[in-house]
Amino acid sequence: MTIPTRLPRWLNPVTTALAGSLLLSLVARLGSTINRDGMLYINTAQAFLDGGFAAAKASFAWPFLSIGIALVSKLTGLGLENAGHLLNALFMAGACALMVACVVRRAPELAWWSCLTVLALPGFNEYRNELLREFGCWFFVMLACWLALRWEEKPSWPGAVAIQLSVGTAALFRPEAVALFPALLAWQLFAAPREQRWQNLAMIGMLPLLGGALLVALFLLNGLGVSDRIASDLGRISMSRFDTKAEALAGGLIEYARGQARTILFFGSLALIPVKLIQKFGIFLLPFAGFLVAGEVRHTARRHALFAWAIAAHLCVLAIFVVDLQFLAGRYVGLILLLATPFVATGLQLFCERFRHAKLLIIAFSLVLAAANVISTGTGKTHHINAGKWLANSGTDVTKVYIDSGRTAFHAGWTKAAVAERHNRSEIERAVASQRYELFVLEISRKDPPWESWLRDSALQVVQRFELPNKDAVIVAIPAGKGSKP
């Protein structure tokens, strides 16, 4: 896939990835509503502006994205939400451009294919409308990879320190980014010339190894507080936690299977990873599979060894996570999809070499897919926005409102409101009996059991209902006998 010579020189795969990513982020932002995690980050950013780092950390244990949002808001004059989306758009654009730049250094013939891939991969691009910590992590991981490829050509201590600083900064967004350190060591262990191998390993790994040893020592000596985020992540590697879950699972198995509970839990949890990857690769699973069966695996893996090792390291991180929690959000595999770009691009190139007449069709389909990843045809979460505006204008004392909808509280500007656990009927009944609250703001999903009869039995009268066509709703109710709505 070559670029026509009549195009200007500045229109190359790297700049196209940068500009294309910014455009996709802009389209995704139009008409989008803030996600749950984004609300937390915005509230934490406001806490940082009001009370500094201590207040931000009290709001969220890993507040570095929020601090970045607050600083961007201060510098640009944008509101916190728009500042967050601007920051994330820049991170995504930088990550895309850096990935293409990495591919250009090792396989220039894949440059345009990698540009197309990184802009169209569903599981990597479909989160552009959300405020997430992943975008900053992806950018600094890709910056570290780009610096590492440059450093390999001419190893030096300043270059090695720059790589380590990039990985460390990525960890400020997602702590598991430190898994790139062992990937870098494994890459140099096999790729560096024999006479320079140990020097390279010392440059790239001495500081991370010392830092890792210090953290492990502090963890083992209880030097990290139990509420510390790092201690929490290290605590996932715990056989006692796994055994507790296995015992709980055994109670629900038939008698003959109870002795296999640990095996079922372990391999059943790990199965979440390939399932989620298959879902998030989408149609790009075909060129990736084509690459795997085309006989180019060894050659391509050697050429892009850093990315292969980084994928392996992140798979280990995901394995620890799912075995501990039996849960895997789609965005958690986004970094693997990004790192797989050279291999997917190789598959696309091989496919088009075999089926030359399909090239234009593949390009057109990928462009359509890139647009589909960011264009939403749904109604969005407008019921939260409308309910929030209604509450903000109701003049009701926040302390007299029972609310279990965090999004509604956010859009009402009630950042300090106590949000109850959603769908906790027994707690709602106790709140009604206490006669403490004048309003009950409840979030109802179409998947919930019927609420109407339960509301009547609980002496609640609905006075406002903000509902989507799919029947998701936010209702405002008052205790029966309290009169009309505010």
Side-chain angles (χ1 to χ4, degrees):
M1 187 180 181
T2 56
I3 186 170
T5 55
R6 65 176 179 274
L7 293 179
R9 292 187 63 183
W10 58 264
L11 188 58
N12 55 60
V14 176
T15 57
T16 300
L18 183 74
S21 179
L22 289 172
L23 178 61
L24 291 174
S25 293
L26 175 62
V27 173
R29 174 67 178 131
L30 298 176
S32 66
T33 56
I34 192 166
N35 54 307
R36 291 183 188 273
D37 288 350
M39 294 175 192
L40 172 61
Y41 304 145
I42 295 301
N43 289 339
T44 304
Q46 186 62 58
F48 176 77
L49 292 175
D50 295 339
F53 182 80
K57 196 171 188 300
S59 175
F60 180 54
W62 209 251
F64 303 102
L65 170 62
S66 298
I67 292 172
I69 292 173
L71 295 177
V72 171
S73 176
K74 274 284 191 181
L75 290 172
T76 62
L78 293 172
L80 289 173
E81 187 176 344
N82 286 329
H85 281 288
L86 173 62
L87 187 61
N88 275 354
L90 294 174
F91 281 147
M92 278 291 281
C96 292
L98 285 167
M99 169 50 80
V100 177
C102 288
V103 174
V104 168
R105 297 189 76 88
R106 291 301 174 91
E109 70 279 5
L110 294 177
W112 282 102
W113 289 120
S114 64
C115 176
L116 190 67
T117 299
V118 81
L119 294 177
L121 267 172
F124 173 67
N125 287 282
E126 64 187 1
Y127 300 104
R128 288 179 179 270
N129 63 318
E130 300 185 11
L131 280 179
L132 297 172
R133 290 180 290 143
E134 276 74 8
F135 302 138
C137 173
W138 296 343
F139 170 75
F140 285 104
V141 166
M142 289 313 308
L143 178 60
C145 290
W146 181 74
L147 290 171
L149 292 178
R150 294 184 63 199
W151 169 86
E152 187 188 31
E153 297 170 3
K154 191 176 180 180
S156 66
W157 281 101
V161 171
I163 297 168
Q164 292 160 16
L165 287 175
S166 296
V167 178
T169 308
L172 295 181
F173 294 89
R174 299 291 313 188
E176 58 270 24
V178 296
L180 188 60
F181 281 131
L184 288 165
L185 290 172
W187 168 55
Q188 279 303 291
L189 182 62
F190 291 95
R194 180 176 298 180
E195 66 277 5
Q196 200 171 346
R197 181 174 302 160
W198 294 109
Q199 182 181 354
N200 284 9
L201 290 173
M203 286 183 187
I204 210 75
M206 183 176 295
L207 292 178
L209 288 174
L210 290 174
L214 178 61
L215 278 178
V216 171
L218 287 173
F219 175 72
L220 295 176
L221 297 172
N222 293 322
L224 299 174
V226 293
S227 62
D228 191 276
R229 173 61 185 264
I230 298 175
S232 176
D233 287 340
L234 290 175
R236 297 191 190 283
I237 310 173
S238 171
M239 287 303 299
S240 61
R241 287 168 62 158
F242 179 77
D243 289 339
T244 301
K245 293 182 177 66
E247 290 174 7
L249 175 64
L253 297 175
I254 62 173
E255 183 177 355
Y256 298 109
R258 289 173 185 170
Q260 302 298 319
R262 299 175 85 253
T263 302
I264 293 170
L265 178 63
F266 182 76
F267 288 103
S269 300
L270 291 180
L272 289 173
I273 299 174
V275 169
K276 190 65 69 174
L277 282 171
I278 289 171
Q279 292 175 346
K280 295 303 178 179
F281 262 117
I283 193 65
F284 282 93
L285 186 64
L286 294 178
F288 183 70
F291 150 73
L292 292 177
V293 302
E296 295 286 333
V297 175
R298 180 174 297 181
H299 171 70
T300 305
R302 189 183 303 114
R303 187 163 54 172
H304 303 289
L306 174 57
F307 299 115
W309 283 111
I311 289 173
H314 197 62
L315 284 172
C316 292
V317 170
L318 295 183
I320 294 171
F321 184 87
V322 297
V323 169
D324 182 50
L325 294 180
Q326 293 75 55
F327 163 77
L328 188 64
R331 67 180 185 272
Y332 294 168
V333 302
L335 182 57
I336 290 180
L337 300 178
L338 176 61
L339 295 169
T341 296
F343 310 114
V344 175
T346 300
L348 286 173
Q349 183 192 47
L350 293 172
F351 186 86
C352 288
E353 287 176 354
R354 183 170 182 180
F355 305 99
R356 295 183 181 277
H357 297 295
K359 180 183 292 187
L360 291 179
L361 180 62
I362 291 173
I363 295 172
F365 181 79
S366 298
L367 293 175
V368 170
L369 184 59
N373 288 331
V374 296
I375 297 175
S376 174
T377 56
T379 57
K381 304 293 184 180
T382 55
H383 58 315
H384 296 117
I385 298 175
N386 295 333
K389 290 179 179 178
W390 186 90
L391 284 175
N393 295 324
S394 69
T396 308
D397 184 354
V398 177
T399 61
K400 295 182 179 180
V401 177
Y402 179 97
I403 184 167
D404 71 0
S405 175
R407 293 190 183 191
T408 302
F410 179 87
H411 290 293
W414 294 357
T415 58
K416 297 183 179 179
V419 179
E421 178 187 359
R422 199 185 78 79
H423 198 231
N424 191 335
R425 294 190 177 190
S426 59
E427 181 62 30
I428 296 171
E429 291 169 355
R430 284 192 290 271
V432 174
S434 72
Q435 300 184 355
R436 173 186 171 186
Y437 300 101
E438 296 179 357
L439 279 184
F440 288 77
V441 182
L442 309 176
E443 184 173 334
I444 298 176
S445 169
R446 61 190 181 279
K447 300 177 183 178
D448 292 337
W451 278 72
E452 285 76 8
S453 60
W454 176 83
L455 285 169
R456 289 192 299 270
D457 295 340
S458 302
L460 286 174
Q461 174 187 348
V462 177
V463 295
Q464 287 288 340
R465 188 180 187 97
F466 304 90
E467 189 173 76
L468 297 179
N470 66 3
K471 302 304 180 183
D472 286 346
V474 174
I475 62 170
V476 180
I478 60 174
K482 289 290 184 180
S484 60
K485 67 184 180 182

